[in-house]
Amino acid sequence: MNLITDAEVSRHLLKYRAPVVTAKGTFTERPTVILTIKDLDGNAGVGEACPMVGFADETIDETEEAIWDWLHTEDQNSPPLIPTARAAIEGALFDLKAKQQEKYLCHYLNPESSLKVPVSILVNGETPSELAANVKQIVDDGFSSLKLKIGARSFNEDLSRINAVREAANSNISIRLDANGAWSVSEAIANVNQLQDLSIEFIEEPVSGIEQLREVRNACGVPIAADETALNIEAVETLIEREAVDCIIVKPSAIGGIVPSTQVTDLARASGIDVVVTSLLESSIGVGLAAHFASALELTDPAPGLATSYLLLNDLIPAPEIKDGCIHLS
């Protein structure tokens, strides 16, 4: 590979079209850091670091500083410990290598990978009627999988919203939920058991913590997924050893990029646990990298949760084309 001859680090403020309400907080905007590296031939690789407050420990300032430190270190084979900074660096390096070989990133990682990836879409809406209307549009657009954030309201309110989504979606539409660790173990067991007749694909993080997830999984009939609890390889190993979950959510932007995401995927697959690749609600730079990763590792069933670019009012690059519920990579 030609040596890196130039690098640029820039900070941007992403703004959402409507507030994204989660149990971790409501997001109307978020800062993100973009790393661009170039070689002698003018090829450019781009990566993104977009830490989410309440999801991971690092701040945007710490992330940006870690990227600058890496750029100025003599040993660039040692990535920073901050996962989002590492994700930006890995993303830029892999992107550059693919461009140097004049390949799509997914084909650089796996020549047999597909440029068409089915995706799950995050559905927004304040009221049950607004959610139902949005779901009908989503179904008309060809999606077969959708996700609803819960846990920020009372469970009775959430249950009304979930019922509205299920009623608006036909029986072939997969519905997954994300509570972002909003409940105690007793609350989660009581709440999740009320969902058993709604054909829920899985629920992410009904509680926080490995043993807490295991307790809920053992008491409920709805599949349980780990997201925030699965942010490093050691945690995933323990989740698998304790048989705490049915599914691991892998966010390449949060876990450190392609290499650690591959390691987590290999661990989960060896144990027969599903892996779902999702975004960190970042720009289409990070979403695109995650989509190429999902394609390269054939992580398409369950569908990756990557139809999130539409949430942004000011994306940094053109969003990946989505047609008939699939991202078409470029």
Side-chain angles (χ1 to χ4, degrees):
M1 183 181 82
N2 291 333
L3 295 175
I4 297 171
T5 59
D6 190 26
E8 178 184 346
V9 180
S10 57
R11 190 183 295 201
H12 306 265
L13 186 65
L14 303 176
K15 297 184 179 181
Y16 298 104
R17 295 181 184 277
V20 178
V21 181
T22 78
K24 297 288 188 183
T26 297
F27 297 91
T28 59
E29 60 185 27
R30 281 172 63 207
T32 191
V33 174
I34 303 303
L35 170 64
T36 304
I37 55 176
K38 295 181 180 179
D39 66 11
L40 282 169
D41 296 325
N43 295 302
V46 184
E48 179 173 14
C50 193
M52 178 179 279
V53 175
F55 188 87
D57 292 333
E58 60 260 38
T59 67
I60 192 72
D61 290 334
E62 291 168 339
T63 295
E64 184 173 359
E65 183 180 357
I67 293 172
W68 279 115
D69 287 346
W70 177 82
L71 284 170
H72 291 103
T73 187
E74 292 185 4
D75 182 16
Q76 292 187 336
N77 291 317
S78 299
L81 296 177
I82 293 177
T84 51
R86 173 174 176 157
I89 292 165
E90 274 203 7
L93 288 171
F94 275 106
D95 188 35
L96 181 60
K97 289 177 182 178
K99 287 175 179 173
Q100 288 171 339
Q101 295 190 19
E102 299 183 345
K103 294 180 179 180
Y104 294 113
L105 177 56
C106 61
H107 288 165
Y108 171 77
L109 297 170
N110 173 10
E112 304 301 318
S113 59
S114 174
L115 293 176
K116 183 178 177 181
V117 179
V119 288
S120 182
I121 185 168
L122 178 65
V123 57
N124 250 352
E126 284 299 309
T127 65
S129 59
E130 186 178 347
L131 281 168
N134 290 341
V135 168
K136 289 177 181 177
Q137 183 61 58
I138 285 168
V139 173
D140 289 343
D141 289 341
F143 288 92
S144 59
S145 174
L146 59 86
K147 173 178 173 176
L148 179 64
K149 290 278 191 180
I150 60 174
R153 304 165 176 83
S154 72
F155 184 69
N156 283 338
E157 290 177 279
D158 275 337
L159 191 56
S160 295
R161 298 169 74 247
I162 297 165
N163 277 307
V165 168
R166 173 45 78 197
E167 188 174 338
N170 64 50
S171 59
N172 295 323
I173 303 298
S174 297
I175 297 174
R176 57 187 66 164
L177 306 173
D178 186 0
N180 291 115
W183 303 320
S184 67
V185 169
S186 59
E187 289 172 334
I189 292 171
N191 295 345
V192 173
N193 279 331
Q194 293 186 60
L195 305 174
Q196 293 190 106
D197 296 330
L198 294 174
S199 299
I200 301 302
E201 183 180 21
F202 58 80
I203 179 168
E204 299 177 33
E205 296 279 326
V207 292
S208 296
I210 294 172
E211 290 306 317
Q212 291 85 346
L213 285 168
R214 179 175 182 269
E215 191 173 346
V216 173
R217 180 181 184 241
N218 287 340
C220 299
V222 176
I224 302 299
D227 187 358
E228 294 96 320
T229 307
L231 285 182
N232 56 64
I233 293 169
E234 294 76 19
V236 172
E237 288 176 335
T238 306
L239 283 161
I240 292 170
E241 177 187 322
R242 299 295 294 155
E243 298 182 350
V245 292
D246 304 281
C247 178
I248 299 292
I249 306 299
V250 173
K251 288 178 165 65
S253 291
I255 204 169
I258 289 173
V259 172
S261 296
T262 301
Q263 293 169 336
V264 166
T265 297
D266 290 344
L267 278 172
R269 279 177 160 168
S271 301
I273 294 176
D274 284 335
V275 173
V276 177
V277 178
T278 73
S279 80
L280 195 57
L281 302 182
E282 69 270 65
S283 83
S284 287
I285 294 170
V287 171
L289 182 139
H292 280 274
F293 168 78
S295 175
L297 271 71
E298 300 177 348
L299 295 168
T300 57
D301 185 18
L306 296 174
T308 56
S309 294
Y310 81 97
L311 297 168
L312 289 172
L313 185 64
N314 62 330
D315 209 341
L316 302 183
I317 62 171
E321 179 188 8
I322 297 183
K323 184 178 180 181
D324 297 327
C326 294
I327 281 182
H328 294 256
L329 299 174
S330 60

